[in-house]
Amino acid sequence: MSQDRIFTRTAVDTTTAARTGFIDLPHGRVRTPVFMPVGTNATVKAASKETLEEIGFEIILANTYHLYLRPGHELIAKAGGLHGFTRWKGNFLTDSGGFQVFSLAPFRKITDEGVKFRSHIDGSEHFLSPEKAVDVQMALKSDVLMQLDVCTEYGVSEKEASSASRLTTEWARKSKDRWLSARGDFRGSLFGIVQGNFSRNLRTQSAQEISSFDFPGIAIGGLSVGEPFEVFCEYLEFTSSLLPEDKPRYVMGIGTPEYILEAVAAGIDMFDCVFPTRTARNGLLFTAHGPITIKNAKYVEDFSPLDSGCGCRVCREYSRSYLRHLFKEKEILYAMLATYHNLAFLHDLILKIRYSIDCGEFDRFRKDFLAAYHSRTE
Ligand SMILES: [Zn+2]
């Protein structure tokens, strides 16, 4: 089915697995590699949709668990889905809700059919099945939907990892059946998720099984769950190498320059994380010479730009001293400016990464960027 071929590669690096390309989605073309800001409650905190458009984002995330509980997917469906509700013109990727059920719900019980849980807001009981996760995301009119999966932490037993991986495959089949039978003229793409924890055998088996369902795209789940950076890199590269080359590859929870560069080198096309926006609000700001903690006393009389090499609106117009003052006074403007810069910085990094891959210079760019990024000691 040609409508499910959504990814086109445009360049492949010679020394790493990095690649550039684009994904055609209902709300426009998304150039890759791509970093997607997280809009948990159908809004990226402290950033309006106009801000996201201005920076140049083509796709953002929304969290199904939160929107299902409040305001409820039926209400969003009445508004015409996420796009009608928020008026964001670009694409939305929604998660299945599973990750938040596992990390936020005060109670949950997994069966073969799905997961029963209590809301962290009011304690009400809910049941999320693979089919329902698809139904809710279709009601949201998401552009990229994720299957419900079972994620395991670093250090669980092989038995637990194996059982989670088996269930994830079973739920992949049910999710795809539901998506195919219910979609009609709905054009959102469903992605499968590879699990398998930190076992090469399980990862291989899961990658084969999930690939066999021929989803439009595939995510690598169960990484960045508390493992050391070296272990993350090893399993990311290994799992990525097992996936078909003609489908977009997505890794959840990646949002620092170091992790992004590693993911790109492993051949990953899409990643998202709350890190850049959350840490911005907490006072950590990216610069080409490493992150700075804006509350530090050394910035009291520093009237220079946040990052003189960054061309963003905040760096052109505001000083470190002023940003520090806004932070100390807990001004709302601080959160807006800090979020703007951190997102613009990462978006700019992505543009440079794409350019370096297209020129065959990615490995050198990565080394140069990291040498500068690690040069500051604060
Ligand atoms: Zn900036």
Side-chain angles (χ1 to χ4, degrees), residues 286 306-307 309-316 340-342 344-345:
F286 295 134
L306 183 49
D307 181 349
C310 174
C312 94
R313 186 150 57 72
V314 176
C315 291
R316 288 201 312 271
Y340 190 103
H341 165 77
N342 269 10
F345 182 90

Side-chain angles (χ1 to χ4, degrees), residues 43-265:
T43 171
V44 175
K45 289 192 198 311
S48 68
K49 68 183 172 64
E50 289 78 11
T51 289
L52 299 170
E53 274 171 30
E54 181 182 304
I55 296 172
F57 290 107
E58 295 162 335
I59 181 168
I60 63 173
L61 237 85
N63 286 126
T64 296
Y65 171 85
H66 292 275
L67 297 173
Y68 161 79
L69 292 177
R70 276 200 314 221
H73 57 290
E74 293 96 347
L75 180 106
I76 294 177
K78 274 186 204 161
L82 279 168
H83 295 89
F85 193 47
T86 65
R87 299 298 171 110
W88 163 247
K89 294 194 204 78
N91 292 285
F92 268 109
L93 182 150
T94 48
D95 59 2
S96 68
F99 187 77
Q100 268 83 24
V101 167
F102 292 112
S103 57
L104 290 179
F107 160 85
R108 66 262 174 196
K109 185 175 189 305
I110 305 176
T111 63
D112 281 359
E113 282 68 46
V115 51
K116 192 158 97 175
F117 67 96
R118 281 217 185 95
S119 156
H120 73 291
I121 298 170
D122 60 7
S124 55
E125 251 188 39
H126 302 268
F127 185 73
L128 188 63
S129 64
E131 294 88 350
K132 184 160 180 192
V134 169
D135 292 345
V136 173
Q137 293 177 84
M138 287 179 77
L140 297 175
K141 288 204 166 55
S142 181
D143 300 288
V144 177
L145 300 72
M146 304 303 299
Q147 73 150 103
L148 185 65
D149 65 330
V150 186
C151 182
T152 46
E153 286 167 15
Y154 181 60
V156 301
S157 68
E158 175 103 4
K159 188 163 170 268
E160 194 180 330
S162 167
S163 145
S165 193
R166 180 192 61 77
L167 209 49
T168 296
T169 294
E170 183 57 23
W171 290 358
R173 187 181 59 73
K174 290 180 174 177
S175 306
K176 185 159 183 215
D177 287 350
R178 180 61 138 235
W179 173 64
L180 286 180
S181 64
R183 67 176 173 170
D185 57 3
F186 172 78
R187 290 164 57 234
S189 289
L190 177 69
F191 281 27
I193 304 181
V194 173
Q195 287 290 345
N197 200 255
F198 298 92
S199 152
R200 287 192 171 229
N201 286 341
L202 288 178
R203 284 278 168 191
T204 305
Q205 188 185 350
S206 179
Q208 282 167 355
E209 289 169 354
I210 299 299
S211 300
S212 75
F213 293 117
D214 198 23
F215 287 104
I218 298 182
I220 300 176
L223 291 180
S224 206
V225 290
E227 74 279 12
F229 184 62
E230 301 71 41
V231 178
F232 162 82
C233 295
E234 180 196 333
Y235 276 87
L236 179 68
E237 201 181 331
F238 177 70
T239 312
S240 182
S241 72
L242 303 168
L243 300 179
E245 289 185 341
D246 59 349
K247 306 243 167 124
R249 303 169 184 158
Y250 167 35
V251 176
M252 291 159 271
I254 305 287
T256 67
E258 290 99 330
Y259 275 81
I260 286 175
L261 286 162
E262 201 59 47
V264 169

Side-chain angles (χ1 to χ4, degrees), residues 342-370:
N342 269 10
L343 288 179
F345 182 90
L346 275 196
H347 184 67
D348 187 56
L349 170 63
I350 294 291
L351 294 182
K352 288 171 178 160
I353 287 173
R354 285 184 205 149
Y355 182 72
S356 73
I357 297 170
D358 287 340
C359 298
E361 296 281 340
F362 172 70
D363 205 36
R364 195 169 78 186
F365 170 77
R366 174 169 61 152
K367 287 193 181 94
D368 291 350
F369 178 89
L370 288 175

